[in-house]
Amino acid sequence: MTLSLVLGVDGSDASLPAIDWAVDEAARHGLPLRLVHASRWGRYERAVPYTSLSRPSERVRLENLVASAAERAERRQPEVKVTTDIVPEDAVEALLHEGDNAFALVTGARGNGELKSLLLGSVSLAVAARAHCPVIVVRGDKAGLAGSHERILLGAGEPVTGAEAVRFAFREAEARCCTLDVVRAWRCPALASADDPALANEPIRRHEERASALLDTLLRDAMADHPGVRVRRVTAEGPAHSVLVRRSAAADLVVVGARRRHGRLGLQLGRVSHTLLHHADCPVAVVPTTL
């Protein structure tokens, strides 16, 4: 079965660049694009009496909304198969259900009706924190949205939780024929001796070597599977969330892993992913691993 790329559409201004980004992504990977609008209104519409002078049915408005999104996608990438659906459910629950059979879920950074002061919409945040497939939140500046940097940025996590993110990032770099920057941030909590200059750099060197060795372990299999991908490895001192936000200004997509634990309810999103979803200068892909 061919998986679809699924985009949540809501008619907001933020959904327009998300439509463009998603259909371009579908074209790169040869995937069909499924446009989904989820709303509880359909459950209650039958109970509302309408006369010939009433406003048009909400169902008609929603059909026009998804049809407009489909037309925009088809004009941009005519070769991509586009389908639409209106689901009478809560938006978060509907998208999570769609993710069970999706290559990835795509959302805009802020939905219709969200306060403009919010950095990220509540639906996008909840989906990114709970989905069991990759979630891409389309945000950032014009250069990042347009893919003009020709770089994918991967935040390297631990091997047990980061392997899926590595595979996703390599596939993206291969599909785009661009460079993959892999960054492992490290921190030195304290110097071994503040009094002896001969020992001052020893802890720094040890932490940096450990970060480099982790990159060797994390990337070995993926580099063998994707020999054509240009990889630039970087170890950087500092908090991972700060390092990646800063480097996202020169990337077209930043990819990070996320843990999903069986039986655990609520949002499962670490500080790095949370910060990137709110502050990155390019689209953010959160790729989960179930533990």
Side-chain angles (χ1 to χ4, degrees), residues 21 24 28 76 141-152 176 178-179 248-253 281-283:
W21 193 95
D24 288 348
R28 276 190 288 267
R76 187 175 180 94
D141 58 25
K142 290 183 178 179
L145 292 172
S148 57
H149 298 295
E150 298 184 347
R151 287 185 180 276
I152 300 295
R176 296 165 182 254
C178 72
T179 299
S248 72
D252 301 322
L253 177 69
D281 288 316
C282 67

Side-chain angles (χ1 to χ4, degrees), residues 5-56:
L5 186 67
V6 177
L7 170 65
V9 296
D10 56 18
S12 66
D13 291 342
S15 72
L16 298 180
I19 294 168
D20 295 344
W21 193 95
V23 73
D24 288 348
E25 179 76 351
R28 276 190 288 267
H29 291 277
L31 298 171
L33 177 63
R34 178 170 163 81
L35 306 180
V36 176
H37 176 85
S39 171
R40 289 187 180 275
W41 180 262
R43 296 185 178 183
Y44 311 114
E45 187 181 22
R46 294 176 185 175
V48 180
Y50 288 106
T51 70
S52 59
L53 299 179
S54 298
R55 65 180 176 82

Side-chain angles (χ1 to χ4, degrees), residues 156-203:
E158 299 300 319
V160 68
T161 59
E164 290 296 329
V166 169
R167 284 190 282 270
F168 185 91
F170 269 83
R171 288 197 300 266
E172 283 295 317
E174 189 170 64
R176 296 165 182 254
C177 298
C178 72
T179 299
L180 176 61
D181 286 343
V182 186
V183 178
R184 172 68 182 186
W186 58 272
R187 302 192 71 180
C188 182
L191 294 178
S193 173
D195 300 321
D196 189 346
L199 297 177
N201 289 327
E202 178 62 21

Side-chain angles (χ1 to χ4, degrees), residues 48-69:
V48 180
Y50 288 106
T51 70
S52 59
L53 299 179
S54 298
R55 65 180 176 82
S57 162
E58 181 70 4
R59 177 75 187 191
V60 172
R61 186 187 74 82
L62 297 181
E63 288 173 350
N64 290 337
L65 184 154
V66 296
S68 176

